[in-house]
Amino acid sequence: MLNMVVGVKWVPDTADVKFDPAKGTLIREGVESIINPPDLNAIELALSIKEKYGGKVYVISMSPPAALKGLKIAIAMGADKAILLTDRRFAGADTLATSYTLAMAIRKIGSYDIIIFGEETIDSATGHVGPEVGEILGISHVSYIKRILNIDLTSKIIELEREVENGVEVYKSKLPIVVSVGVGVNNPRYPIPIRRLHAEIETDKYIEIWGLSNIDAELDRIGLQGSPTRVIKIIAAPTVQRRMEVFQYSKEVLNLMVKRLRECEVL
Amino acid sequence: MVEFSGVCVYIEQRRGIIQEASLQLLGEGRRLADKLNVNLMAFMIGYDINSIINEPIYYGADRVVYIDDEIYRYYNVEVYTQVLVELLLKYRPEIFLVAGTKYGRELAPSIAARLETGITADCTGFDIDESRNLVQIRPPFGGRVLAYIITPIKRPQIATARPNVFPAPKRNIDRKGEVICENVSIKKPRLELVEFKESGDKELPIEKAEVIIAIGRGLSKSDYHLAYELCKVFSNSAVGCSRPLVDQGLMPRSKQVGQTGKTVRPKLYIAIGISGAVQHIAGMKDSRYVIAINKDPNAEIFKFCDFGIVGDYKEIIPELIKVLRSKH
Ligand SMILES: Cc1cc2nc3c(=O)[nH]c(=O)nc-3n(C[C@H](O)[C@H](O)[C@H](O)COP(=O)(O)OP(=O)(O)OC[C@H]3O[C@@H](n4cnc5c(N)ncnc54)[C@H](O)[C@@H]3O)c2cc1C
Ligand SMILES: Nc1ncnc2c1ncn2[C@@H]1O[C@H](COP(=O)(O)O)[C@@H](O)[C@H]1O
């Protein structure tokens, strides 16, 4: 029996987010939110471990209440229980304060063997949360894993494989451990409609809502005051102006292309 | 309490070879140190690294602090975190920069969490503000915006930097500096590296290529040779790809361009059968000239190209090879 905890972030679909250069802010209104894509792979990994070794899958998200929608999807995929960490005082957290809050909540869940995160979020894209949660809990952590090779339930030793730029590494560690996975390590399963219905009508049975009073967290380590970093401004990223000459294919087009390459001193 | 002062760059070496991205950061570190009027230090960890310990000085460091022991032969996040935390507590730099390789992206947040300090990921620019804070500039939201971030109180200010954004400084073997050998005692790690299988990729790395032929899901596996043939028409060229090809095991991870792959800025980028998803664009948008070949006239990639050809690659590539060969 293994207890898995999966961190899930409810994020605006970045493909639709626009920037308001006048105000220097991102326009999130009307933008659909989704489960951060690699977090679906994290849920899938947890469920597949459960199927092979037995256990329980908890999903946790620190977010405003809107993330409830995402947690219902996670339940519909097969997670046993979800925790929505929501409290005004958690707001404004950077990655360190987020990791601390998540770590304290995970500690409150009690027994955990494998904590799984996505490799990074599509909005902030830091990949900090995995290593930071691991360090705060004082347990092993490995990012960018490709697959779990083996878990020995008696000795509680896990063996896993991950890929770096110049090769593949195999690691071994005693549980508990934190790992992170990217999109492409597996194919996340679809939510099951009947579970979705249950998550909808018996939400309380599957999803708990926790605030600051439910976890043992120090006030000066959460939210904005617990965040060592500050975003001072956001600007539109400068873009290279492209010529965008697009043609239907013909042999003459290729000659024109070669001409352009010469003009632009590429050839 | 001792004040924090100085800029420090972590020099990542793998089997005695210093990572290019770390050398690039020495240039940026030097610039920041000069702006603050402080020293530039470099930390290096490994085994049998005597022959390379002066390299950071040749690239701009004033001082190298290194640790050389058998137990550091291979990277292990737990071991390296312990060592670097010890060194940071002893030497107390105000700024600590780490190249954003896979190891760096794992190691830096690990260190930041232990020191309970701030960290900014994947920076593409740095500056110093009027309060002597490090301004860390990074591109979240798939690179649509640039965020300016500071760590006003906690020290050190830690940041990882995206590889291949900063140019590496010129190597100057006449530069002199101080070299210090350190020793720290560490706890036995829970995490153990069992095996390392080095990938036998001997081709020109895409981040070094002047011309990249990038292939996407639109190409059938049996046609990849067309891309390699086109690649051979140019010198200093390499074949790159979009992410699905890597996920399906059709191409090695080292060839992936994009947000979760490599950032490239070649002279010429030819995208074939690539739709132009934001995550892909994020990795190639700074290329000098972009050509797109796609059979779908509405493909996003055409908004990010200089020259687009709508049509079937099967027809176009062989013809393109002929034309280039005759006019090159
Ligand atoms: C968190 C996250 C991170 C990601 N990171 C990356 C990343 O780093 N890099 C990356 O590339 N992707 C990344 N992706 C995936 C990305 O969203 C796209 O799915 C991917 O880039 C699409 O690859 P593609 O363009 O090759 O395939 P597709 O989108 O399937 O496009 C194939 C194209 O080929 C064209 N085509 C088909 N047949 C022909 C023909 N005969 N001749 C000419 N054209 C043809 C089609 O018209 C189509 O436009 C990421 C996704 C997520 C969620
Ligand atoms: N607010 C959050 N709640 C739960 N999990 C999170 C949260 N933020 C980040 N994570 C997890 O940490 C991973 C890495 O996120 P990041 O470090 O922000 O790039 C994500 O893929 C999630 O699995």
Side-chain angles (χ1 to χ4, degrees):
Chain A
M1 284 283 285
L2 294 166
N3 277 340
M4 267 80 66
V5 183
V6 183
V8 166
K9 193 174 176 193
W10 188 241
V11 293
D13 192 339
T14 47
D16 299 333
V17 174
K18 298 271 174 331
F19 181 70
D20 181 343
K23 289 198 197 127
T25 51
L26 293 155
I27 307 164
R28 296 172 200 238
E29 283 82 52
V31 175
E32 280 284 319
S33 282
I34 52 171
I35 291 182
N36 182 47
D39 301 1
L40 292 171
N41 301 88
I43 296 171
E44 176 60 39
L45 179 63
L47 294 172
S48 67
I49 295 174
K50 173 181 164 169
E51 280 157 7
K52 188 154 176 201
Y53 299 95
K56 215 169 159 179
V57 175
Y58 294 86
V59 170
I60 186 165
S61 187
M62 181 179 98
S63 170
L68 206 54
K69 213 169 146 189
L71 292 179
K72 286 175 187 166
I73 297 171
I75 294 292
M77 285 172 73
D80 296 289
K81 193 120 205 157
I83 296 155
L84 175 64
L85 267 177
T86 191
D87 196 304
R88 272 174 202 285
R89 289 165 290 187
F90 295 152
D94 71 0
T95 56
L96 186 67
T98 300
S99 301
Y100 173 75
T101 313
L102 288 172
M104 292 307 111
I106 291 167
R107 197 169 269 170
K108 205 71 193 181
I109 292 176
S111 135
Y112 49 85
D113 299 293
I114 307 175
I115 301 169
I116 311 174
F117 292 113
E119 124 189 332
E120 57 182 51
T121 50
I122 53 170
D123 55 348
S124 55
T126 76
H128 288 169
V129 169
E132 291 191 326
V133 167
E135 289 296 325
I136 294 166
L137 292 173
I139 60 178
S140 306
H141 57 88
V142 183
S143 300
Y144 311 113
I145 76 155
K146 230 171 104 184
R147 59 167 168 254
I148 308 264
L149 299 174
N150 188 45
I151 303 171
D152 186 325
L153 291 180
T154 12
S155 63
K156 292 244 165 184
I157 287 183
I158 186 167
E159 252 182 89
L160 43 85
E161 193 177 278
R162 72 122 165 230
E163 207 172 334
V164 291
E165 292 87 350
N166 61 333
V168 171
E169 297 175 331
V170 177
Y171 284 102
K172 200 157 100 175
S173 173
K174 189 129 175 93
L175 296 176
I177 192 169
V178 175
V179 298
S180 75
V181 293
V183 296
V185 296
N186 53 29
N187 294 312
R189 65 194 66 187
Y190 291 105
I192 303 164
I194 185 73
R195 280 193 68 93
R196 183 129 197 189
L197 190 65
H198 280 293
E200 209 57 67
I201 55 181
E202 303 176 284
T203 308
D204 297 351
K205 198 175 137 196
Y206 294 99
I207 304 177
E208 287 183 26
I209 298 180
W210 289 6
L212 182 58
S213 60
N214 298 87
I215 62 174
D216 301 315
E218 292 165 38
L219 257 181
D220 61 351
R221 292 188 67 184
I222 61 163
L224 190 64
Q225 74 274 19
S227 301
T229 63
R230 287 283 179 279
V231 177
I232 49 175
K233 72 169 170 188
I234 293 180
I235 61 165
T239 47
V240 182
Q241 217 40 55
R242 294 280 169 213
R243 292 177 184 81
M244 288 195 281
E245 293 185 87
V246 181
F247 304 94
Q248 190 67 42
Y249 171 66
S250 70
K251 287 193 181 163
E252 292 71 65
V253 164
L254 294 184
N255 292 324
L256 179 63
M257 192 194 92
V258 173
K259 186 167 163 244
R260 289 287 187 268
L261 289 176
R262 291 235 171 83
E263 284 164 8
C264 300
E265 293 176 10
V266 177
L267 281 189
Chain B
M1 198 185 82
V2 192
E3 279 291 307
F4 287 86
S5 164
V7 177
C8 180
V9 174
Y10 169 60
I11 302 296
E12 182 188 327
Q13 62 81 31
R14 297 183 185 183
R15 302 193 229 318
I17 297 164
I18 295 178
Q19 296 294 296
E20 190 72 22
S22 298
L23 296 177
Q24 293 163 358
L25 258 189
L26 279 171
E28 195 55 16
R30 183 73 261 169
R31 194 179 68 83
L32 297 168
D34 289 344
K35 225 168 165 175
L36 287 165
N37 201 12
V38 294
N39 278 338
L40 176 63
M41 185 162 52
F43 288 165
M44 205 149 76
I45 307 172
Y47 176 54
D48 210 5
I49 54 173
N50 244 303
S51 59
I52 54 169
I53 52 174
N54 279 305
E55 290 298 320
I57 291 172
Y58 301 157
Y59 284 90
D62 299 307
R63 175 200 258 180
V64 177
V65 176
Y66 77 99
I67 298 199
D68 191 323
D69 193 296
E70 170 98 57
I71 53 173
Y72 307 121
R73 183 198 287 268
Y74 293 102
Y75 166 88
N76 175 321
V77 63
E78 207 177 324
V79 173
Y80 277 41
T81 298
Q82 285 192 55
V83 172
L84 288 168
V85 163
E86 289 299 315
L87 293 182
L88 287 167
L89 289 174
K90 179 163 179 187
Y91 290 91
R92 304 179 88 77
E94 59 204 292
I95 293 172
F96 184 52
L97 304 177
V98 178
T101 59
K102 290 259 157 98
Y103 289 161
R105 293 288 296 271
E106 173 180 71
L107 185 59
S110 211
I111 294 167
R114 275 211 200 178
L115 295 171
E116 288 180 29
T117 187
I119 168 162
T120 304
D122 197 28
C123 295
T124 52
F126 294 107
D127 205 351
I128 301 291
D129 73 8
E130 57 293 343
S131 315
R132 297 174 66 85
N133 288 314
L134 176 68
V135 182
Q136 304 154 94
I137 306 164
R138 65 182 305 264
F141 289 89
R144 279 211 177 62
V145 296
L146 286 178
Y148 288 63
I149 296 167
I150 57 167
T151 306
I153 298 160
K154 293 283 178 70
R155 293 291 179 269
Q157 306 158 89
I158 301 182
T160 55
R162 182 178 291 188
N164 306 314
V165 169
F166 304 104
K170 266 214 160 61
R171 182 172 184 260
N172 174 3
I173 55 164
D174 297 326
R175 279 198 90 244
K176 297 272 176 290
E178 186 186 7
V179 176
I180 303 170
C181 177
E182 273 288 344
N183 227 319
V184 298
S185 57
I186 56 153
K187 283 203 300 235
K188 187 176 170 351
R190 293 159 43 99
L191 187 68
E192 188 191 325
L193 179 72
V194 181
E195 197 187 347
F196 184 91
K197 291 175 252 179
E198 190 140 14
S199 58
D201 200 353
K202 291 282 171 288
E203 292 166 52
L204 179 68
I206 55 169
E207 63 273 27
K208 292 214 173 116
E210 283 189 0
V211 177
I212 295 176
I213 314 299
I215 56 176
R217 195 149 53 183
L219 248 79
S220 328
K221 166 106 186 131
S222 57
D223 288 330
Y224 287 7
H225 69 97
L226 287 174
Y228 283 93
E229 275 165 42
L230 178 57
C231 186
K232 272 191 251 156
V233 175
F234 304 94
S235 50
N236 275 326
S237 55
V239 173
C241 67
S242 66
R243 174 153 187 166
L245 276 51
V246 177
D247 289 344
Q248 288 165 33
L250 298 170
M251 293 288 280
R253 177 83 49 200
S254 59
K255 299 211 175 275
Q256 182 191 322
V257 174
Q259 188 186 318
T260 45
K262 285 176 173 170
T263 304
V264 295
R265 37 179 60 188
K267 252 163 61 175
L268 177 60
Y269 192 87
I270 307 183
I272 308 170
I274 291 180
S275 59
V278 273
Q279 296 93 351
H280 186 82
I281 301 297
M284 49 64 78
K285 65 176 165 43
D286 294 326
S287 305
R288 199 157 110 215
Y289 197 89
V290 176
I291 295 174
I293 299 173
N294 197 305
K295 69 172 182 192
D296 173 8
N298 298 315
E300 275 293 303
I301 190 76
F302 289 129
K303 294 190 191 145
F304 299 94
C305 76
D306 295 293
F307 200 96
I309 306 174
V310 180
D312 192 333
Y313 73 85
K314 287 185 204 254
E315 211 182 327
I316 301 171
I317 304 181
E319 216 37 59
L320 180 58
I321 293 171
K322 265 194 238 159
V323 171
L324 286 168
R325 280 227 175 96
S326 64
K327 307 212 169 170
H328 211 53

